[in-house]
Amino acid sequence: MHEAAPVNPWVALAYLIAGVCFILALRGLSSPATSRRGNRLGMVGMGIAVLTTILTHLPMVSTLNGKDFAFDEAPFDTVTFVQILAAIAIGAIIGLTTARRIAMTAMPQLVAAFHSLVGLAAVLVGIAAYLNPQAFGIASLVVPMIGEPFAVINPVSKVEMGLGVAIGAITFSGSVIAFLKLNGSMSGKPILLPGRHVINLATLAAILLLVAQFAHGQEGWPFWAVVVLSFAIGFLLIIPIGGADMPVVVSMLNSYSGWAAAAMGFTLGNTAMIITGALVGSSGAILSYIMCRAMNRSFISVIAGGFGATDSGGGGAAAIDRPWKRGSAEDAAFLMSQAEQVIIVPGYGMAVAQAQHALREMGDKLKEHGVRVKYAIHPVAGRMPGHMNVLLAEANVPYDDVFELEDINSEFAQTDVAFVIGANDVTNPAAKTDKTSPIYGMPVLDVEKAKTVLFIKRSMGGVGYAGVDNEVFYRDNTMMLLADAKKMVEEIVKSMD
């Protein structure tokens, strides 16, 4: 166990206030209407936690000019304190610069990159604690009969350290793969290794056995073996997961990063880290479970590394060679202006083109013509949970006009026009009929049931992120609008004037 130390009541109170801010932040982020307030509360809580941690762990000089000091008599270490402030300043500058410059289309890969940094931080803290356990208060000094005294790490601290390092390493390497897939640097198709399930299970079992060996023994090699194997299993778990499941992966890695932080909180004896990590870990796990249910996916199969994927891959990856109808902006403007109800289905194509503001303007124009306008959001549209909701909120689309899949899917059959803007996989009927498809079983938006489907797509040659073509393109009631999404929507708006 950690060495007992008196707890300053003001420190405990500050961490409690920070924890309450984090809880209220999560509550605020559950709704677009309160998301800004939730973000602010999260920032306030983090500010309190960081400031309290710095003030309660002010660096002291233990030895100066050959003189050893007791902790309560040690002078202030100005150099170390300046280094800490410099590190915080550098991180703040990088964060502010990135946040200001990053495009909304790159937000999913940015989130994955942030998760990787959290995981790497957990690994580095664990390694530091292993190399210098006395500085972390997790070791006892043993004086042998003959020889130099040495530090022995407490067994409980070894378990905390081993699990924290393992989860952190898995989060880092898994997030790197997720970043590469989201950024287009790696194919979104599943990369299926032969015997991957046996390899993954064996590696995970080996990590747990090595943590146990590290906790009960004095050797150092099990710790380093855990680090290496954990980095490896992170790659192996995420590589087999296809693009259709990537939003769940982002949410799952968010959960992993939280548990890594919580484990390191125990190692550091920091209450705020434990609270924050537990909140992030549990909320991420709950979100992943909810999304898996929405996609009709098994939660265990997804986190186990694409357990449901078959070695044959998804069928129908190539584009279908069938006749299709092409329309113009004027055609789309006329059809929607004459409609009673239009349901807009945004997808990643809208994000890439940054067409959300033009889309809001189009919706306003339709309302001026007496058309009811609604927005249908699929749980995994885009590349991360809530991607489309964030984009529509950025464009000030009224919250009352935005509906989730289960709330609006039954309305397509009574809708005049379904306007799909870059949403391929989440509108693909193959998910309901084709058992060989990698998206089979995933609930999709029933856009094909509308009287007319207007589908914006750059070209007929490409396929969705999951690597399958969409048979909606070739339906008799579908009109393809081939162009950049933003330019096409802007032309439709001009045609309505």
Side-chain angles (χ1 to χ4, degrees), residues 425-495:
D425 298 327
V426 299
T427 61
N428 195 338
K432 298 178 284 187
T433 58
D434 186 1
K435 293 185 177 181
T436 66
S437 173
I439 61 173
Y440 178 72
M442 181 179 79
V444 293
L445 291 161
D446 297 331
V447 297
E448 76 278 3
K449 295 181 179 179
K451 294 178 182 178
T452 301
V453 180
L454 299 176
F455 209 115
I456 296 183
K457 197 170 182 286
R458 281 187 175 273
S459 69
M460 294 298 293
V463 293
Y465 194 54
V468 290
D469 204 9
N470 192 341
E471 65 178 65
V472 169
F473 303 158
Y474 313 99
R475 298 267 179 129
D476 292 336
N477 64 331
T478 299
M479 183 179 294
M480 299 301 298
L481 307 174
L482 302 184
D484 174 82
K486 184 178 181 180
K487 293 180 179 179
M488 175 57 71
V489 174
E490 289 174 342
E491 290 178 9
I492 292 174
V493 172
K494 291 179 182 179
S495 300

Side-chain angles (χ1 to χ4, degrees), residues 155-484:
V156 174
S157 297
K158 285 185 176 181
V159 173
E160 297 167 357
M161 189 189 310
L163 292 178
V165 166
I167 299 172
I170 292 172
T171 303
F172 172 76
S173 52
S175 297
V176 169
I177 296 297
F179 173 85
L180 294 175
K181 288 195 173 190
L182 291 166
N183 201 46
S185 304
M186 178 183 290
S187 172
K189 296 180 181 179
I191 301 176
L192 305 176
L193 302 176
R196 63 190 181 280
H197 303 317
V198 175
I199 295 173
N200 291 347
L201 290 174
T203 305
L204 289 172
I207 289 173
L208 295 176
L209 291 174
L210 287 168
V211 171
Q213 172 67 23
F214 175 59
H216 290 90
Q218 297 299 323
E219 305 91 348
W221 66 267
F223 175 81
W224 298 110
V226 167
V227 174
V228 173
L229 289 179
S230 299
F231 277 126
I233 193 65
F235 287 112
L236 296 174
L237 285 174
I238 306 302
I239 283 178
I241 300 178
D245 294 327
M246 197 51 60
V248 181
V249 172
V250 173
S251 176
M252 178 183 67
L253 291 171
N254 178 51
S255 178
Y256 288 174
S257 67
W259 297 124
M264 287 300 102
F266 283 104
T267 299
L268 295 173
N270 189 296
T271 307
M273 282 188 66
I274 298 172
I275 295 173
T276 307
L279 286 172
V280 173
S282 56
S283 60
I286 292 170
L287 178 59
S288 300
Y289 177 73
I290 292 173
M291 294 185 68
C292 283
R293 288 192 61 183
M295 297 170 61
N296 199 27
R297 290 283 198 265
S298 166
F299 180 68
I300 300 298
S301 70
V302 173
I303 66 174
F307 201 89
T310 59
D311 292 331
S312 60
I320 305 172
D321 185 14
R322 286 165 53 183
W324 50 277
K325 292 188 296 184
R326 181 167 186 169
S328 64
E330 292 76 14
D331 296 329
F334 175 78
L335 288 170
M336 288 192 288
S337 297
Q338 301 302 312
E340 291 185 5
Q341 175 167 289
V342 173
I343 297 181
I344 300 172
V345 182
Y348 189 65
M350 182 194 76
V352 172
Q354 299 186 34
Q356 59 269 26
H357 295 280
L359 192 66
R360 194 281 314 276
E361 186 179 356
M362 186 188 79
D364 293 341
K365 285 283 187 181
L366 288 173
K367 291 178 181 179
E368 292 175 5
H369 285 79
V371 181
R372 293 193 306 275
V373 178
K374 296 183 178 181
Y375 296 79
I377 306 296
H378 193 280
V380 296
R383 296 292 185 268
M384 71 176 185
H387 196 182
M388 295 301 106
N389 301 77
V390 172
L391 290 172
L392 294 180
E394 182 192 22
N396 295 317
V397 171
Y399 305 134
D400 295 339
D401 293 348
V402 181
F403 297 86
E404 300 295 335
L405 177 145
E406 62 271 13
D407 298 324
I408 201 171
N409 224 12
S410 60
E411 293 192 30
F412 281 103
Q414 293 81 40
T415 296
D416 298 295
V417 178
F419 185 83
V420 186
I421 176 168
N424 193 340
D425 298 327
V426 299
T427 61
N428 195 338
K432 298 178 284 187
T433 58
D434 186 1
K435 293 185 177 181
T436 66
S437 173
I439 61 173
Y440 178 72
M442 181 179 79
V444 293
L445 291 161
D446 297 331
V447 297
E448 76 278 3
K449 295 181 179 179
K451 294 178 182 178
T452 301
V453 180
L454 299 176
F455 209 115
I456 296 183
K457 197 170 182 286
R458 281 187 175 273
S459 69
M460 294 298 293
V463 293
Y465 194 54
V468 290
D469 204 9
N470 192 341
E471 65 178 65
V472 169
F473 303 158
Y474 313 99
R475 298 267 179 129
D476 292 336
N477 64 331
T478 299
M479 183 179 294
M480 299 301 298
L481 307 174
L482 302 184
D484 174 82

Side-chain angles (χ1 to χ4, degrees), residues 125-145:
V125 169
I127 292 175
Y130 172 72
L131 296 177
N132 191 14
Q134 286 180 288
F136 287 78
I138 59 174
S140 301
L141 192 64
V142 175
V143 182
M145 295 293 293

Side-chain angles (χ1 to χ4, degrees), residues 90-167:
I90 293 172
I93 291 172
I94 294 173
L96 286 171
T97 304
T98 303
R100 288 182 178 276
R101 294 184 178 180
I102 197 72
M104 286 303 299
T105 53
M107 193 58 66
Q109 48 264 49
L110 177 66
V111 172
F114 282 165
H115 290 162
S116 72
L117 294 178
V118 175
L120 183 60
V123 174
L124 294 177
V125 169
I127 292 175
Y130 172 72
L131 296 177
N132 191 14
Q134 286 180 288
F136 287 78
I138 59 174
S140 301
L141 192 64
V142 175
V143 182
M145 295 293 293
I146 301 176
E148 296 292 330
F150 59 93
V152 175
I153 305 176
N154 303 318
V156 174
S157 297
K158 285 185 176 181
V159 173
E160 297 167 357
M161 189 189 310
L163 292 178
V165 166
I167 299 172

Side-chain angles (χ1 to χ4, degrees), residues 47-131:
I48 293 173
V50 171
L51 183 61
T52 303
T53 302
I54 292 176
L55 293 177
T56 54
H57 295 80
L58 290 175
M60 301 296 177
V61 178
S62 59
T63 302
L64 183 64
N65 296 328
K67 179 182 178 181
D68 293 330
F69 292 94
F71 177 77
D72 55 352
E73 299 176 349
F76 182 68
D77 188 350
T78 306
V79 175
T80 302
F81 188 67
V82 170
Q83 291 174 343
I84 293 173
L85 293 181
I88 293 175
I90 293 172
I93 291 172
I94 294 173
L96 286 171
T97 304
T98 303
R100 288 182 178 276
R101 294 184 178 180
I102 197 72
M104 286 303 299
T105 53
M107 193 58 66
Q109 48 264 49
L110 177 66
V111 172
F114 282 165
H115 290 162
S116 72
L117 294 178
V118 175
L120 183 60
V123 174
L124 294 177
V125 169
I127 292 175
Y130 172 72
L131 296 177

Side-chain angles (χ1 to χ4, degrees), residues 6-27:
V7 179
N8 187 319
W10 293 107
V11 172
L13 178 61
Y15 283 152
L16 177 61
I17 294 173
V20 171
C21 286
F22 295 144
I23 294 171
L24 293 176
L26 289 175
R27 178 68 180 88

